[in-house]
Every structure is written in structure tokens, then in C-alpha cells.
Amino acid sequence: MNAASAPSKLYSDDVSLIVVLLDANPFFWASSAAAAGDSASSHHPTTTLPFSKLLNHVIPLLNSLLLLNQLNQVVLVATGVNSCGYIYDSGDGGGGSACGSVPAICSEILRRLEEFVVKDRLQGKSPDKVVATGVSSLLSGSLSLALCYIQRVFRSRARHPQPRILCLQGSPDGPEQYVAVMNAIFSAQRSMIPIDSCVMGVQHSAFLQQASYITGGVYLKPQQLDGLFQYLSAVFATDLQSRNFLQLPKPAGVDFRASCFCHKKTIDMGYVCSVCLSIFCKHHKKCSTCGSDFSQGPTDANADRKRKTSEVQP
């Protein structure tokens, strides 16, 4: 390949920028490892796996994405309970390691993940307090980091590879993050950035179902996590141009339920502010978001309309 053809290939359709959001919630993975041990002792097929085995599937995925095209760029973002952070970027010379070999990159990723988990635990309000296993990760923060990184690439180059986000999520959704997550989803839709989702928890993720549906990404919940790398490489490794020729899995249904702004709970029916579209599970006299007054009901408006009509008539 000569030097003249390099710039055109750099911006071709098969060059991708993949931002991988890795769920690094220690509480979820601790419970997942315990569940995997119980399943192994009872000789039943396991649907969970410890975090160490998850990395055995994720790191080969990162290498395979780079092997598919030498011009691809991969960014790894860790999602913690209290914070998020960049772990690896293939565009800065192997994530800051002195050597670009695969063992050096793997050791660098493991070291930065360990530092991130320790830092994330110290940033908690009460790190010594025992937290329930159902604690959620900061998905809204990692999505924001991914979108900011992609926007920086957009503005730094006249042309750029096709970006996409891959969420590797295990923790349950946090209803208190509903507004921030939806804002990130609509920002990705506006920028035409697909959000792919791979859920490794017991339950489906309503947030990621909506994210993949709205942005045109792929949502997948593997039944058996022992072959997770095969799922990831077969479904998420292909570039956006090649997806037009593949039969990718489609979700059976999407959970479009929202979370109320007052109690941060997922609801089926509720009240919506006509001014700012805030959602509440109960009727309020005043919107807590924009301050709109709800004291005037439909009966008052109808009475006022009838009074004005009677004044016009002779």
C-alpha cells in the first residue's frame, strides 16, 4: 500500500472507532462469582462468571477489533459505582505502556483496572459500609465519557472513522439515572452513534434496550456466558458497513417504561408535566422540575371557557 492510498483508507467505511464500556462494579461481580461457584458445585450450567474470567473474554475482543483493521481504534472505559474512567486507548501508543506487545498491553489494562477499582471505592460516601448486591453502576457517566471522546475525535479531524459504543453491562439499572441516561441516548442518536449492548446480568436492562433501539444498535443477552467471546466476536466485532449483510439478533421486546422524577421508581402509568415533560407517579400541585402550577384543573378551564362564550353572545 503506497502513501497516497493511506489517507483514503483511513476514512473508509470499514474503519471503526469502538468505545467499550466495561462494568467494573465490584459488588455485582462478587455476587456473580459466588453464584458461579454455587452453580459449579451443584453441577448445573452457570449463567454468571467472575470478573477475572470476564477479562479473559474482553481483552481478546479488544485485540480482535484491532486485528480486523489496523486503522481501527479501541477505547476502554470502566464503569464503577461512584465514578468512571479511561482505562485503555489504542490511539495513544498502547495505553501509555512502554511496549506495544499484547502481554504488555494486557498487564497495563489489568493494572489500571485495579487502580480504578480502588479509587472508585475511596470516592464512595461510606466505603466501609456493606452495600447490597443490587447496587447499580454509573452508566450515565460512562456514556457521557464515551460521547465526549467521540465528539473530540469529530472536531479534531476533518474526516473520521465510524464510531460506535459497546456497553458490557452486568449491574441492574439505576432508576435515579433515568434522565441522564436518556439525555445521553438522545445525544448519541443525534450524532448517529449506535449503542450496542451486551447484558450479562440476570435481568434485562431497560436502559440498554431503549439505547440500542433508539440509536440503531444491537442488544444481546447471552444465555451461556462460558462462550462470551464467541458472542462478542460474532455480533459486535463487525463494522457498521458489514452489518447490512448480516442477520444480527433482534430483541424480542423493548421495555419503554420510564422512571418517575419524584421517587426514582420504574412506573407503568404516571403524570407528565406539559411544560418540561417531567414524569411523576402521583399527582402534584406544582412541578418540582420547572415550577409549573398544576392547581388549575380541567374543570376550571371549562368553566372559564363557558363564561367567555356567554359574554360574547347577545
Side-chain angles (χ1 to χ4, degrees), residues 71-143:
L71 299 177
N72 284 349
Q73 184 177 355
V74 177
V75 179
L76 181 63
V77 177
T79 307
V81 178
N82 305 295
S83 63
C84 306
Y86 296 103
I87 301 299
Y88 170 73
D89 186 356
S90 62
D92 62 355
S97 59
C99 179
S101 61
V102 174
I105 294 176
C106 293
S107 60
E108 185 73 12
I109 292 177
L110 294 176
R111 183 185 65 83
R112 293 192 176 187
L113 278 174
E114 184 177 0
E115 294 177 353
F116 170 79
V117 172
V118 174
K119 182 180 179 181
D120 181 69
R121 180 177 60 86
L122 296 177
Q123 288 184 357
K125 296 181 179 179
S126 54
D128 298 333
K129 183 180 179 180
V130 179
V131 184
T133 57
V135 64
S136 60
S137 300
L138 195 60
L139 177 61
S140 59
S142 59
L143 285 174

Side-chain angles (χ1 to χ4, degrees), residues 139-271:
L139 177 61
S140 59
S142 59
L143 285 174
S144 300
L145 284 182
L147 292 174
C148 290
Y149 186 93
I150 294 174
Q151 290 297 329
R152 185 174 63 183
V153 173
F154 284 173
R155 298 182 181 183
S156 62
R157 309 174 189 176
R159 297 180 180 179
H160 49 77
Q162 291 190 355
R164 67 179 186 267
I165 300 175
L166 173 58
C167 299
L168 303 178
Q169 189 74 11
S171 306
D173 293 336
E176 68 279 358
Q177 304 180 47
Y178 174 76
V179 178
V181 170
M182 294 306 299
N183 288 337
I185 293 174
F186 291 133
S187 298
Q189 181 192 30
R190 183 179 180 85
S191 302
M192 293 183 293
I193 303 173
I195 299 179
D196 298 328
S197 308
C198 181
V199 177
M200 297 163 289
V202 179
Q203 300 177 352
H204 285 276
S205 172
F207 287 171
L208 294 181
Q209 282 181 342
Q210 297 182 41
S212 299
Y213 179 83
I214 294 174
T215 61
V218 180
Y219 177 87
L220 177 66
K221 188 180 185 302
Q223 297 298 326
Q224 295 291 335
L225 297 181
D226 293 337
L228 181 61
F229 174 73
Q230 283 72 17
Y231 285 103
L232 297 176
S233 59
V235 178
F236 302 111
T238 55
D239 57 86
L240 299 181
Q241 185 70 16
S242 301
R243 291 186 179 185
N244 299 324
F245 309 98
L246 300 177
Q247 292 292 336
L248 298 176
K250 297 181 180 180
V254 181
D255 189 358
F256 288 104
R257 291 184 301 172
S259 299
C260 65
F261 287 31
C262 46
H263 299 91
K264 311 300 181 182
K265 295 181 179 180
T266 303
I267 57 176
D268 297 321
M269 298 182 63
Y271 298 86

Side-chain angles (χ1 to χ4, degrees), residues 9 12 14-16 64-73:
K9 186 173 179 58
S12 60
D14 59 346
V15 180
S16 302
S64 63
L65 292 173
L66 297 175
L67 288 173
L68 287 174
N69 193 319
Q70 61 179 353
L71 299 177
N72 284 349
Q73 184 177 355

